[in-house]
Amino acid sequence: MNSNMPDFDYLVVGAGLYGAVFAHEARKKGKKCLVIDRRAHTGGNTWCKETDGINVHYYGAHIFHTNDKDLWDYVNSFVEFNRYTNSPLAFYKGELYNLPFNMNTFHQLWGVKTPAEAQERIREQIASLNITHPANLEEQALSLVGTDVYEKLIKGYTEKQWGRDAKDLPAFIIKRLPVRFTFDNNYFNDKYQGIPIGGYNKLTEALLEGTEVRLNTDYFKHRQELNQLATNIVFTGQLDEFYDFRFGHLEYRSLRFEHDHLQQPNFQGNAVVNYTEREIPFTRIIEHKHFEFGQQPTTVITKEYPGEWQPGEEPYYPINDEKNMQLLKQYQELAHAETNVIFGGRLAEYRYYDMHQVIAAALTKTRKLF
């Protein structure tokens, strides 16, 4: 027997959804995985911190939604999901509006009662602008929904999100804006949506059951010895960091979260309220108990502040502009040349993924391999 044989088939760097699904599927096929994460917990950004019986979405709201029945059955095989439906509200100068833009919103804005009246309002506003070729995000949004919806519900929120004036953002960011002429506040069109009963940690823990996990373990501080433990590497961290930022940093928008534990049973009556004024520095307030219809005597709210990302901070949203896409190509060329490294997930692929997309990507990869 060769004593130099590595202990594991796969070293999985990152215990988020991609890494956890990969490890689970590999284990089912008799492969041995070691999962490591530099954080003190598994689950990546889906991790929930339990406070007074409330599962706090510590890194921002995570709402699962998909049209794929197989994927829905897959996640429900680990933990049962509830029937939570995302119906956010928008707060603008003391008024509340329903989202996404629908007949409730148009009634709140203009007092209109029929789809024909709402369509006419929007048509009139668009016609008066004479925008034929939108040159930026502001013009693109105005040409889709008119002035009132744009000024009250899009402009400030978008400018906070991106840290730029809407006139300085490219038009392609908003290809379309979903406008519904029905009284329906269901934000997602997907057939299946919900939150794991008992929180997302239940999903991650079930996926990683039977797999060795080492937390508080920074791959880049122990790279050489960790690499020797496994035949292959599954890397779910930042792609540019894997290559020591050889060509420079891929850029992100970042988020900062301010969590408050309040001694009252109900703060805002809804899980998600967006604050669409530019002058209010946070983009939204999340009240976590409403994700699971909680009846606890206290509540936890989180204010979400978007910000410029600096190297070393937590990366959230990739900035898919031309400069970063060129940089990404250079890193991808290096990645394609690897023979025993798999790059997967939001950071390693430098793309915005919803949870169902991350899980689907990991399942696709494992099916090809095993």
Side-chain angles (χ1 to χ4, degrees):
M1 170 124 182
N2 186 349
S3 60
N4 296 329
M5 282 291 284
D7 297 343
F8 298 94
D9 297 298
Y10 291 94
L11 169 70
V12 181
V13 181
L17 282 178
Y18 191 98
V21 170
F22 189 99
H24 179 81
E25 294 302 310
R27 197 175 67 83
K28 278 201 317 205
K29 293 289 187 275
K31 306 292 179 192
K32 213 171 162 205
C33 293
L34 169 63
V35 178
I36 63 166
D37 203 289
R38 55 164 68 140
R39 288 179 179 171
H41 58 73
T42 60
N45 288 350
T46 67
W47 181 71
C48 295
K49 183 183 182 184
E50 197 265 328
T51 305
D52 248 12
I54 299 163
N55 291 305
V56 177
H57 294 205
Y58 204 73
Y59 301 95
H62 283 76
I63 298 151
F64 195 90
H65 57 97
T66 182
N67 270 321
D68 186 329
K69 186 175 188 307
D70 290 340
L71 211 56
W72 180 247
D73 291 342
Y74 181 79
V75 293
N76 275 272
S77 72
F78 299 101
V79 55
E80 190 186 345
F81 278 61
N82 70 17
R83 53 165 192 82
Y84 174 81
T85 301
N86 192 29
S87 312
L89 290 163
F91 179 101
Y92 178 80
K93 298 198 169 168
E95 296 293 329
L96 286 170
Y97 300 93
N98 287 105
L99 295 174
F101 315 134
N102 70 70
M103 283 304 298
N104 290 309
T105 325
F106 307 140
H107 179 69
Q108 289 150 350
L109 283 166
W110 307 309
V112 296
K113 296 177 180 68
T114 67
E117 289 175 290
Q119 282 163 324
E120 186 52 33
R121 272 299 175 105
I122 292 171
R123 227 186 344 260
E124 281 169 11
Q125 291 187 5
I126 293 171
S128 68
L129 297 164
N130 295 316
I131 297 168
T132 44
H133 301 291
N136 53 49
L137 183 143
E138 176 156 295
E139 291 184 1
Q140 173 76 352
L142 285 167
S143 70
L144 290 167
V145 290
T147 43
D148 288 346
V149 173
Y150 172 70
E151 291 292 338
K152 293 184 176 183
L153 302 176
I154 296 169
K155 181 177 161 66
Y157 189 89
T158 305
E159 291 181 340
K160 287 191 283 194
Q161 213 39 330
W162 291 96
R164 314 266 183 290
D165 198 283
K167 290 187 184 74
D168 300 328
L169 288 164
F172 74 78
I173 291 179
I174 294 183
K175 290 196 175 70
R176 55 183 193 88
L177 284 164
V179 175
R180 295 183 192 159
F181 296 97
T182 55
F183 290 89
D184 179 12
N185 302 323
N186 176 0
Y187 194 78
F188 299 116
N189 287 315
D190 297 314
K191 186 173 178 182
Y192 307 104
Q193 51 182 308
I195 305 278
I197 296 172
Y200 281 97
N201 300 1
K202 284 202 178 330
L203 174 61
T204 318
E205 284 158 13
L207 283 164
L208 289 170
E209 199 180 318
T211 296
E212 186 175 337
V213 179
R214 296 182 196 171
L215 300 173
N216 302 304
T217 301
D218 190 329
Y219 175 69
F220 295 103
K221 287 184 180 152
H222 312 281
R223 191 168 185 161
Q224 238 176 329
E225 63 240 54
L226 285 165
N227 284 352
Q228 286 167 358
L229 296 177
T231 313
N232 305 284
I233 297 165
V234 178
F235 184 77
T236 72
Q238 286 167 255
L239 180 60
D240 50 355
E241 189 176 10
F242 189 85
Y243 292 107
D244 300 318
F245 309 107
R246 190 177 306 182
F247 307 120
H249 285 271
L250 288 165
E251 294 171 313
Y252 291 86
R253 287 291 288 163
S254 196
L255 293 171
R256 179 170 65 79
F257 302 104
E258 234 174 55
H259 306 285
D260 279 311
H261 188 191
L262 307 176
Q263 300 303 307
Q264 64 188 76
N266 195 351
F267 173 76
Q268 62 188 19
N270 204 44
V272 183
V273 178
N274 290 356
Y275 283 75
T276 59
E277 289 162 68
R278 179 95 195 238
E279 295 67 36
I280 293 174
F282 47 85
T283 46
R284 54 186 184 170
I285 296 181
I286 309 296
E287 187 168 11
H288 302 269
K289 71 191 305 177
H290 298 305
F291 288 131
E292 297 185 61
F293 317 109
Q295 299 297 315
Q296 297 87 352
T298 65
T299 194
V300 178
I301 63 164
T302 299
K303 289 177 181 165
E304 209 167 284
Y305 296 83
E308 290 294 327
W309 173 83
Q310 300 297 329
E313 290 180 341
E314 205 50 59
Y316 284 93
Y317 303 111
I319 297 177
N320 301 117
D321 60 12
E322 208 161 312
K323 181 182 111 182
N324 283 291
M325 295 329 275
Q326 286 305 320
L327 199 54
L328 177 61
K329 269 200 187 111
Q330 290 180 273
Y331 282 118
Q332 283 174 334
E333 278 170 25
L334 296 179
H336 290 318
E338 301 284 353
T339 52
N340 69 330
V341 186
I342 292 160
F343 295 92
R346 190 176 57 91
L347 299 175
E349 296 179 57
Y350 192 66
R351 58 186 292 185
Y352 179 79
Y353 265 139
D354 281 329
M355 286 178 288
H356 66 287
Q357 294 166 321
V358 174
I359 292 168
L363 287 171
T364 301
K365 177 57 80 179
T366 53
R367 279 169 195 154
K368 276 186 192 150
L369 283 172
F370 314 130

